[in-house]
Structure formats: C-alpha cells, structure tokens
C-alpha cells in the first residue's frame, strides 16, 4: 500500500502508539511475536472504501484510514500477519463467502452476507444511514446507491414503494451520480457523503435528509475462514477486557491519552 509521505507518517505514528498501548495492556495474555513469521498466522482483512474510515489511495490499489489502521493493529496484537484488500463491495462479499477474505467490518443485516459471517459482539463504531433528496430534481423515485448494499432494510422499503435503484461500485461513484442530478435521491452512509462534499466545490446546495437510521458496525469473520474459531475466540477475549462502548473509540481514547 502506498500513499503520500504525510499520510504514511501519520498512519505509522498512529499504529505505533496503538501497538505500544495495547501491548502494555494485553501482552501477558495475547502477544506471541515468535509466531508472526509463520505463514499459518496470515489473515486477510477486507475493507471497502468508506471515507474517512477507509480512504482509497490515489497512487495505488491500497487504502488507509482509522478503520484500516486499528483493525490491522488489533490483529497483529493477537498474533497475526495482516494482508489488506480494498475491493468493491460485491467482490469483497464474494471473497468473504469463499473464505479468501478472513475478516471485514460491516453492519449486521447485510443481505449479501447472510449466513456467511460471524460477528464479534462489541461494536466497532456507530454509523448513520441517510436518504438524501435533491430538491432541484423532480422526485422521480430514483436512488443512487452502492451495489450489494441493502442499507439495513432501507432498500427493500423504498423498492416496495416504487423506487428504482441505480447501483454503483462504491460510495464515491454513487454520490457523484446524485450530485450530477442523475437521480433524485441518494442512499448513503453519512460519513462518506460529508467527506466527499467537503472536498468538492461543485456540490448541489439544496439537499435534505429524508430518512435516517443510526446503526452499529462490527468486525465480521468469514464462516469459510480456516481461522474462524481462533479469530473469534482471541478477539472476543480481547474486547471483553475493556468497558469502552466501541472498539474504535477505545483505541482512539487510548491514543489520545498517550500524547
């Protein structure tokens, strides 16, 4: 994974601080550095573009962001070598189903992942799903969205009411379709939408939120992964040692306290 020197330094510093803090807290139970060179300890972490938590690198096929850094750090802490993949959602879901990706971060209830993953109980973070409406476009019941996402039932509700979905490969493409006025609505997670509009000057101004759902997201282990049981066991025990509400808040809080 390659990115700008500034991003690399920031990510390396965050990883260093998180590893240092977690090692002090949990080394007696979990650290197994002698096993890190064993090919059997490799796991594949699959994530989709979800800025600012997961941002695609402009000069490579890789990605970076807090979700990538924290997930990788946690997996390294409990004894794994980590390979990160950043494919479009539809491809990621297929690789999870076949066990080619061992672990991801996702919401419960995603239809494409039904009966294919085991969720770790502690929420990774909380997200907001919103339906945006462009008031400059006649309400023709068209919705820009990400292929393979059902938005925790929002897609089914809207389709039953006669809405037509135009599915794109990722959040950026769906947002751009909406911003160009090609659809009257956009189904999106709020964080990627805000990230996008802050970085683009040609955004539409007259937009309203028509629907909102606040939901937790979790680490999810592929049921086809050879490491399913040991991953679930190690991560569950690790997260049980903290009373923090979410995984990402716990890591960010520890990082802040160390500075």
């Amino acid at each position: 994974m390659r990115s700008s020197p500034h991003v690399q330094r920031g990510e390396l510093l965050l990883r260093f601080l998180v590893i240092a803090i977690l090692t002090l807290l949990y080394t007696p139970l979990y650290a197994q550095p002698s096993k890190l060179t064993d090919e059997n300890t490799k796991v594949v972490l699959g994530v989709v573009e979800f800025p600012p938590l997961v941002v695609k690198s402009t000069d490579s096929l890789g990605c970076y962001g807090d979700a990538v850094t924290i997930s990788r750090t946690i997996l390294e802490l409990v004894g794994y070598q980590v390979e990160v993949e950043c494919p479009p959602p539809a491809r990621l879901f297929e690789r999870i189903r076949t066990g080619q990706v061992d672990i991801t971060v996702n919401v419960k209830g995603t239809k494409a992942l039904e009966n294919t993953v085991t969720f770790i109980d502690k929420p990774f973070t909380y997200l907001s799903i919103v339906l945006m409406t462009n008031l400059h476009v006649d309400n023709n019941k068209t919705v820009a969205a990400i292929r393979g996402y059902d938005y925790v039932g929002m897609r089914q509700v809207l389709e039953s009411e006669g809405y037509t979905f135009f599915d794109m490969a990722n959040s950026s493409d769906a947002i751009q379709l909406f911003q160009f006025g090609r659809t009257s609505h956009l189904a999106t997670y709020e964080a990627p939408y805000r990230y996008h509009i802050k970085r683009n000057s040609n955004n539409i101004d007259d937009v309203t939120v028509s629907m909102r759902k606040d939901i937790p997201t979790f680490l999810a282990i592929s049921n086809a992964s050879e490491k399913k049981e040991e991953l679930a066991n190690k991560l569950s025990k690790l997260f049980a040692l903290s009373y923090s509400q979410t995984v990402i808040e716990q890591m960010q809080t520890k990082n802040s306290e160390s500075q």
Side-chain angles (χ1 to χ4, degrees), residues 42-223:
K42 188 186 86 169
V43 294
V44 178
L45 167 68
V47 290
V48 297
E49 179 186 12
F50 194 95
L53 292 176
V54 180
V55 182
K56 292 285 285 186
S57 300
T58 57
D59 57 352
S60 74
L61 297 177
C63 55
Y64 61 92
D66 281 359
V68 179
T69 301
I70 290 173
S71 298
R72 183 202 290 271
T73 300
I74 289 168
L75 291 168
E76 288 177 348
L77 177 69
V78 295
Y80 295 102
Q81 299 178 84
V82 184
E83 179 180 314
V84 180
E85 294 187 3
C86 315
R91 177 167 170 74
L92 174 62
F93 296 155
E94 178 58 31
R95 289 180 65 76
I96 291 170
R97 280 193 290 270
T98 58
Q100 293 170 287
V101 166
D102 297 288
I103 188 167
T104 187
V105 181
N106 209 281
V107 298
K108 293 182 178 179
T110 298
K111 211 169 181 185
L113 290 179
E114 280 184 359
N115 303 316
T116 64
V117 296
T118 296
F119 291 95
I120 301 300
D121 285 339
K122 186 169 188 175
F124 190 81
T125 191
Y126 281 82
L127 306 172
S128 292
I129 297 175
V130 293
L131 180 70
M132 311 297 297
T133 299
N134 182 349
L135 300 179
H136 290 299
V137 175
D138 290 339
N139 186 356
N140 54 14
K141 290 194 170 183
T142 54
V143 185
I146 302 173
R147 184 177 300 112
Y149 277 34
D150 61 1
Y151 302 95
V152 195
M154 182 185 288
R155 180 188 290 267
Q156 290 88 335
V157 170
L158 292 174
E159 286 180 335
S160 71
E161 295 175 358
Y163 285 78
T164 300
F165 277 73
F166 289 81
D167 291 324
M168 308 301 289
N170 54 55
S171 62
S172 294
D173 290 348
I175 292 169
Q176 288 179 17
L177 191 71
F178 173 70
Q179 293 288 354
F180 291 155
R182 304 293 178 82
T183 64
S184 56
H185 302 278
L186 167 70
T188 183
Y189 286 91
E190 189 171 24
Y193 179 76
R194 293 191 177 280
Y195 182 91
H196 178 89
I197 63 176
K198 284 181 181 178
R199 285 156 179 78
N200 291 272
S201 57
N202 59 341
N203 298 303
I204 53 177
D205 298 322
D206 210 357
V207 174
T208 186
V209 175
S210 309
M211 189 183 299
R212 177 187 296 273
K213 290 185 178 183
D214 295 319
I215 55 169
T217 184
F218 301 84
L219 285 168
I221 303 169
S222 167
N223 288 340

Side-chain angles (χ1 to χ4, degrees), residues 33-43 79-81 227:
S34 63
K35 294 184 179 180
L36 287 176
T37 57
D38 187 344
E39 177 64 22
N40 291 331
T41 64
K42 188 186 86 169
V43 294
Y80 295 102
Q81 299 178 84
K227 301 178 179 65

